[in-house]
Amino acid sequence: MRKMFGRVLAGVLVTGLVLTGCGGGEEPSGGGTAGTETAGADGTGAVSGGSGAGNGSGSVGVDTTGFLMDVLNADIQTADVQKTTKDYTVPTNIFDRLADIQVDDQGVSKIVPSLAEKWDISGDGLEYTFYLQKGVKFQNGNDFTAEDVLYTFERLLTVEGGLNTELLDQVKGAAELMEGTADTLEGVEVVDDYTVKITLKEPFAAFLSCLTAPGLSIYDSEATEAAGDQFGMDPAVTVGTGPFKFAGWNFNDQLVLVKNDDYWRGASELPGVVIKIIPDTETQTMMFESGELDLLDLDFVTDAADRFLETYPDQIVQGPRVGITYFTMNFNKEPFQDVKVRQAVQMAIDRQAILDALYGGRGQVEHGIYPYGLIGFNEGQTKISYDPEGAKALLEEAGYGSGFTMELAADASASDTVTMALEIIKEQLSEVGIQAEIKNYDESTWLETRKSGELGSFMSTWTADFNDPENFIYTFFGNEEKTKIRSINYPDQTVMARVSAARGIVNEDERLAEYQALEEKLIHEDAAWVPMYSRMHLWAVSKRVQNFKPVWSGVSDRSYYGASLSQ
């Protein structure tokens, strides 16, 4: 097998394409994280900020001396999180949400207050009463009140070209507002200036997690309405309550943030941030090594990651992606109706070897549905062992001692990492007598065939839209339609009914216990798919950066609040 890895690695450059974001957590490529690339500057002098999409109007001069220098590999399209599912770096820093995700040093996540200082949840799980922070001001000086929460949620459901609406699906009246049969959002009530009550149409225990998503950042009703379609495009009219102000945007050149001196949690220790747009990864690498960049997302330079780890071991910061790469088996295709065959496939794939070959082992082999870093992750779950001899024995018991032929479905638009992984999986399966044939599909055919439930086995990655096990298990096993459109076709209606019912369990300990029991049933008793691995997100930071921490999720967005620079 070592020779096989060597041939594959020699023939393919690991690049890593990523698709992420709320409502689009799946990465058909199985590659890196979503990312935008950027270009460089020396951190001195004046920067001109345009008013959106490089139209040049309303530019302002910003002295960026002493600013943190960052880089993206492509420009954003908007800072309006209601119109994007991927460009969250600027919104993460200029807006706040009602609640946030906090990650401890062990990678364990929990929900903590933000613009809502506390909340009450009714015993039936239908009513959420949020008590808002008082004295919070938007960056234009306007007071933050409950009316802004109502406005934000109604705008999300009605704005032209709006996205992320699924985050409010469970709110009473959301569907009616979107359909135009209602003029207001029935389930959101402004009790007083600093109290808002949200009523759900049915219990949904993951609702608090949804509120932490970037897509539910809170907007100033007055300023946002006045800005019209320039909100998110013109920095001068794009205001939030966050630790940084959106100060400038020269399209395909750079974005500029300056600290909000009046931030309600206390002003940032950074005076500001310049985010350069540099598509060329070699240029990014050279700029970091010459001291022109303070941060470098190693997802942008995967081919140089090993060298960075060796050269700058004390300048690497990492955090869990909160996403899982998985390998499917279609229950409607022979011989995958037999659990022994599915278990044999689980045991025949050396997942650690694949993680090592593709990503230098930067991550961990997974054994269930919920990845490391997710609320509800179970460290003590049953483990799946790499055991080719055991796999052969199971195939013999199932009547397939001579093996069988199966399809590995490849999306032609996927990243080279998927090509490599499928080649390795093919080789590993052949060692237990399974002849896997890689079949290439164009992207649209791959997606349509998968949606119809007819696709053969494939590898993909699901990255969390919000930090809750519901976002994983319900997505794939919530009902017959969901498992069909992933071409899994898991048949146990009783289990799927439990998955659906678990969404409404109000007691958190009981809910997580049920999710873990369902994970054990689906993966270890029924072998419904092969959990592959989760990955770590690595950043190189300059020696002058202190306290930079990756955000909780697998995306390449970042929060600058809490970081500082030494002179």
Side-chain angles (χ1 to χ4, degrees):
M1 288 303 298
R2 292 294 173 191
K3 292 182 179 179
M4 176 61 189
F5 296 156
R7 291 199 302 271
V8 175
L9 286 168
V12 185
L13 175 64
V14 181
T15 53
L17 168 70
V18 192
L19 308 174
T20 58
C22 291
E26 194 149 25
E27 305 165 13
S29 67
T33 32
T36 30
E37 298 172 323
T38 32
D42 61 6
T44 60
V47 175
S48 177
S51 68
N55 63 18
S57 63
S59 62
V60 294
V62 178
D63 180 5
T64 62
T65 303
F67 280 28
L68 182 144
M69 304 302 295
D70 196 5
V71 62
L72 292 172
N73 61 4
D75 210 337
I76 67 173
Q77 298 302 306
T78 179
D80 183 352
V81 293
Q82 298 183 359
K83 295 183 178 181
T84 182
T85 59
K86 63 176 182 176
D87 296 326
Y88 290 147
T89 287
V90 172
T92 294
N93 290 281
I94 66 174
F95 303 121
D96 289 309
R97 290 137 294 281
L98 292 179
D100 276 332
I101 293 290
Q102 185 179 85
V103 184
D104 66 18
D105 293 338
Q106 284 71 49
V108 177
S109 301
K110 67 177 180 179
I111 300 171
V112 296
S114 183
L115 287 177
E117 64 179 4
K118 62 180 180 178
W119 47 78
D120 293 327
I121 305 173
S122 63
D124 60 7
L126 290 175
E127 291 186 352
Y128 289 69
T129 303
F130 294 92
Y131 305 94
L132 308 181
Q133 301 278 359
K134 296 178 180 178
V136 175
K137 292 190 178 290
F138 286 96
Q139 293 150 0
N140 58 1
N142 287 349
D143 290 325
F144 160 66
T145 69
E147 289 287 349
D148 298 304
V149 177
L150 173 61
Y151 171 81
T152 297
F153 289 3
E154 289 189 335
R155 182 181 186 271
L156 173 65
L157 297 171
T158 58
V159 68
E160 184 177 356
L163 302 170
N164 289 318
T165 58
E166 72 283 352
L167 294 170
L168 294 178
D169 275 351
Q170 301 302 316
V171 175
K172 190 175 183 180
E176 291 79 0
L177 184 60
M178 289 184 66
E179 294 164 358
T181 58
D183 296 326
T184 59
L185 183 54
E186 179 184 358
V188 179
E189 175 190 353
V190 174
V191 178
D192 58 41
D193 281 351
Y194 298 102
T195 311
V196 60
K197 180 184 291 185
I198 300 177
T199 303
L200 307 185
K201 61 185 179 182
E202 59 187 14
F204 181 54
F207 183 62
L208 280 178
S209 290
C210 288
L211 294 178
T212 72
L216 289 184
S217 297
I218 302 300
Y219 293 168
D220 176 1
S221 56
E222 179 182 319
T224 306
E225 197 66 16
D229 61 8
Q230 285 303 295
F231 184 80
M233 304 301 292
D234 182 349
V237 298
T238 305
V239 299
T241 61
F244 293 91
K245 299 178 182 181
F246 194 11
W249 181 9
N250 288 340
F251 194 65
N252 283 334
D253 177 22
Q254 64 187 13
L255 301 147
V256 180
L257 307 177
V258 298
K259 76 173 178 178
N260 176 9
D261 287 321
D262 300 319
Y263 186 47
W264 59 278
R265 281 179 166 145
S268 170
E269 293 185 48
L270 295 174
V273 181
V274 175
I275 308 169
K276 300 299 294 182
I277 312 300
I278 306 177
D280 183 68
T281 58
E282 290 187 10
T283 302
Q284 292 184 36
T285 301
M286 289 188 293
M287 290 180 64
F288 180 84
E289 295 188 302
S290 66
E292 297 175 78
L293 290 175
D294 292 305
L295 293 177
L296 182 62
D297 185 345
L298 295 188
D299 272 358
F300 297 161
V301 292
T302 52
D303 53 327
D306 288 335
R307 180 172 64 80
F308 268 73
L309 284 164
E310 182 177 341
T311 307
Y312 309 103
D314 298 328
Q315 293 175 241
I316 303 298
V317 175
Q318 63 181 359
R321 290 194 171 284
V322 197
I324 188 167
T325 298
Y326 60 93
F327 180 81
T328 65
M329 295 169 284
N330 193 327
F331 279 69
N332 283 354
K333 292 184 178 292
E334 292 285 352
F336 293 117
Q337 293 90 346
D338 193 319
V339 66
K340 291 181 180 179
V341 172
R342 299 193 301 272
Q343 289 171 336
V345 172
Q346 285 184 336
M347 296 164 67
I349 298 177
D350 187 346
R351 298 162 297 149
Q352 184 66 58
I354 296 173
L355 181 62
D356 291 345
L358 301 186
Y359 301 108
R362 295 183 290 275
Q364 69 176 49
V365 168
E366 294 289 357
H367 300 277
I369 297 173
Y370 321 123
Y372 175 66
L374 189 77
I375 293 172
F377 174 76
N378 182 13
E379 189 72 55
Q381 66 191 292
T382 302
K383 302 297 190 289
I384 300 170
S385 299
Y386 171 55
D387 183 2
E389 293 306 315
K392 290 178 184 178
L394 283 173
L395 291 174
E396 185 72 38
E397 291 177 25
Y400 292 95
S402 298
F404 60 89
T405 299
M406 64 178 287
E407 175 187 282
L408 299 181
D411 174 4
S413 69
S415 71
D416 291 335
T417 53
V418 170
T419 303
M420 295 169 63
L422 291 180
E423 290 287 354
I424 297 171
I425 290 171
K426 175 181 177 179
E427 183 77 6
Q428 291 175 344
L429 292 175
S430 72
E431 293 192 350
V432 301
I434 300 173
Q435 302 308 308
E437 299 175 351
I438 297 176
K439 182 177 179 180
N440 289 294
Y441 295 79
D442 64 76
E443 183 180 17
S444 61
T445 302
W446 191 93
L447 291 169
E448 281 301 314
T449 307
R450 189 188 69 172
K451 186 177 179 180
S452 72
E454 297 299 320
L455 198 63
S457 292
F458 61 90
M459 193 182 82
S460 189
T461 298
W462 181 264
T463 301
D465 295 325
F466 51 88
N467 197 309
D468 194 275
E470 188 274 347
N471 188 235
F472 286 76
I473 193 168
Y474 186 76
T475 297
F476 293 91
F477 302 105
N479 54 51
E480 188 174 1
E481 180 62 21
K482 287 185 176 296
T483 191
K484 174 188 174 183
I485 65 175
R486 305 290 170 186
S487 280
I488 298 171
N489 293 301
Y490 177 76
D492 194 325
Q493 297 287 342
T494 300
V495 172
M496 288 187 284
R498 285 176 59 191
V499 171
S500 184
R503 307 174 87 205
I505 297 176
V506 176
N507 183 284
E508 187 71 353
D509 291 338
E510 291 179 9
R511 185 174 74 98
L512 294 182
E514 173 68 345
Y515 275 144
Q516 290 173 2
L518 285 163
E519 179 181 48
E520 187 77 17
K521 167 66 175 171
L522 283 159
I523 301 305
H524 300 287
E525 291 184 33
D526 295 345
W529 73 11
V530 183
M532 296 292 288
Y533 45 77
S534 60
R535 295 174 51 208
M536 296 299 290
H537 196 174
L538 276 65
W539 304 77
V541 300
S542 71
K543 290 184 177 180
R544 70 180 192 139
V545 176
Q546 286 86 44
N547 300 318
F548 171 75
K549 295 181 179 180
V551 294
W552 70 266
S553 68
V555 295
S556 288
D557 309 300
R558 52 279 246 167
S559 170
Y560 304 111
Y561 188 65
S564 61
L565 295 174
S566 61
Q567 299 303 316

